[in-house]
Amino acid sequence: MNFPATGFLIPAGSKNWPGEERYPLGHGKTTIGRAPSCDVQINIPTVSRLHAELNWADGRLMLTHLSAVNHTLVNGIPVREVVALRGGDLIEIADGILLRLELYTSGEEVTLAIGRDNRRMYAILHADVVGYSRLTEDNDIATARQIEACLSVIRRETERRSGRVVNIAGDGILLLFPSGEAALTCGITCQQAFAALNRTLPPTRRMEFRIGINSGDILITPTGAMIGDAINIAARVQALASPGGILVTGVVHDQLQGHDGFRFEYVQTNELKNISREVRTYRVAV
């Protein structure tokens, strides 16, 4: 096969289907769907015959959602019409079918980059629901509706700030942002929205989140896995936050010194589990 100049779509995640190890992207249109004529054929019932389409426009790769039945997401955010893509994006087709996008500028780069790990700097937001097991045991249907409402807020605010919804596992949520300012603004807006949703509920049914934010280097493997101390630290800091509150690391605090609109209060320097260095934490006014 002659490698095209633009890159590949690479199946990622745990849900597999009989297909190729990678799908080359040319300079024209690439179709995704269940139909045999599709460039990326995914023969699974929840995938529409023509589900989505990738096309180049003015030097940018654009994704168009075409299915009238099931969704297409990019980095956890639903695609309603057309969205611009970038290398490393995760495209989700229907229910959990993931394709990772790798873009290159030459055939030589393609050959060298297959199987290559990438490192990128991100601001990491980790959120967790307080007392999720208790809420579920009390009323699992009501809890499911509440978490859906909260996730809708998270996805909307993340998309507004060019972030990525990387993982949602039960009550745990991992988001990535291009800057600490974007991550913290999203966190504050979400906590304010959650508080508004809770005002009409009795105290025992309120859904409160703890949020931790860190910034650092993340290793992205060829399968789309994201690994790094920066993610672990965000999770550890989140566990120290108060219900409805936000804690940030010293790295994020230092990055945002001089930014208007943020008020920080030093909490303490922590020794975090399985982290060799101490981490300063700051409480953020919501």
Side-chain angles (χ1 to χ4, degrees):
M1 176 186 293
N2 293 320
F3 292 120
T6 59
F8 291 98
L9 286 173
I10 302 172
S14 59
K15 189 159 188 174
N16 298 315
W17 72 94
E20 305 295 331
E21 291 185 2
R22 55 184 180 270
Y23 296 88
L25 297 173
H27 292 279
K29 179 172 65 177
T30 301
T31 54
I32 303 172
R34 200 174 72 251
S37 59
C38 288
D39 300 301
V40 181
Q41 185 191 10
I42 305 173
N43 194 17
I44 291 179
T46 53
V47 177
S48 298
R49 287 184 59 79
L50 184 56
H51 200 100
E53 179 179 284
L54 279 65
N55 216 337
W56 288 94
D58 298 324
R60 305 179 73 189
L61 185 60
M62 312 297 292
L63 181 145
T64 304
H65 172 64
L66 300 173
S67 174
V69 179
N70 288 312
H71 59 240
T72 302
L73 293 88
V74 174
N75 303 318
I77 299 171
V79 178
R80 292 175 177 84
E81 294 180 357
V82 182
V83 65
L85 300 175
R86 56 188 175 182
D89 281 344
L90 282 175
I91 301 169
E92 181 177 344
I93 303 296
D95 53 349
I97 299 163
L98 295 177
L99 295 164
R100 180 170 56 87
L101 174 65
E102 287 293 347
L103 295 176
Y104 309 104
T105 58
S106 72
E108 188 172 310
E109 284 187 40
V110 170
T111 304
L112 293 173
I114 295 171
R116 182 182 62 190
D117 294 329
N118 291 307
R119 289 187 181 274
R120 299 184 185 180
M121 293 293 295
Y122 284 106
I124 304 112
L125 186 155
H126 200 284
D128 191 78
V129 178
V130 179
Y132 183 74
S133 297
R134 176 187 59 78
L135 289 169
T136 303
E137 183 179 6
D138 176 64
N139 189 329
D140 57 349
I141 295 176
T143 301
R145 299 292 81 78
Q146 285 177 271
I147 195 74
E148 285 176 359
C150 292
L151 289 176
S152 177
V153 171
I154 289 170
R155 288 192 173 103
R156 181 185 69 240
E157 297 303 326
T158 301
E159 182 177 10
R160 287 180 60 192
R161 292 164 183 84
S162 301
R164 304 183 180 196
V165 179
V166 174
N167 190 39
I168 299 173
D171 60 332
I173 300 158
L174 175 63
L175 312 176
L176 298 183
F177 293 88
S179 69
E181 181 182 17
L184 184 50
T185 302
C186 180
I188 292 172
T189 305
C190 286
Q191 288 289 39
Q192 291 172 344
F194 301 152
L197 291 172
N198 283 331
R199 287 191 191 109
T200 60
L201 299 173
T204 57
R205 287 303 311 166
R206 290 173 184 169
M207 182 169 283
E208 295 182 302
F209 285 77
R210 294 187 178 96
I211 290 179
I213 300 175
N214 185 35
S215 181
D217 190 54
I218 296 176
L219 176 70
I220 304 174
T221 73
T223 60
M226 298 187 179
I227 302 167
D229 280 349
I231 296 175
N232 298 334
I233 290 171
R236 300 284 189 267
V237 169
Q238 171 271 126
L240 300 174
S242 301
I246 301 174
L247 280 187
V248 303
T249 61
V251 173
V252 176
H253 169 266
D254 296 347
Q255 289 174 349
L256 297 179
Q257 284 294 291
H259 282 255
D260 294 333
F262 300 136
R263 289 184 291 131
F264 300 96
E265 178 189 352
Y266 174 72
V267 178
Q268 62 184 5
T269 299
N270 303 271
E271 291 185 1
L272 303 177
K273 183 179 178 181
N274 297 328
I275 302 297
S276 60
R277 61 192 180 280
E278 293 184 333
V279 177
R280 288 177 290 136
T281 52
Y282 294 80
R283 185 180 297 111
V284 180
V286 176

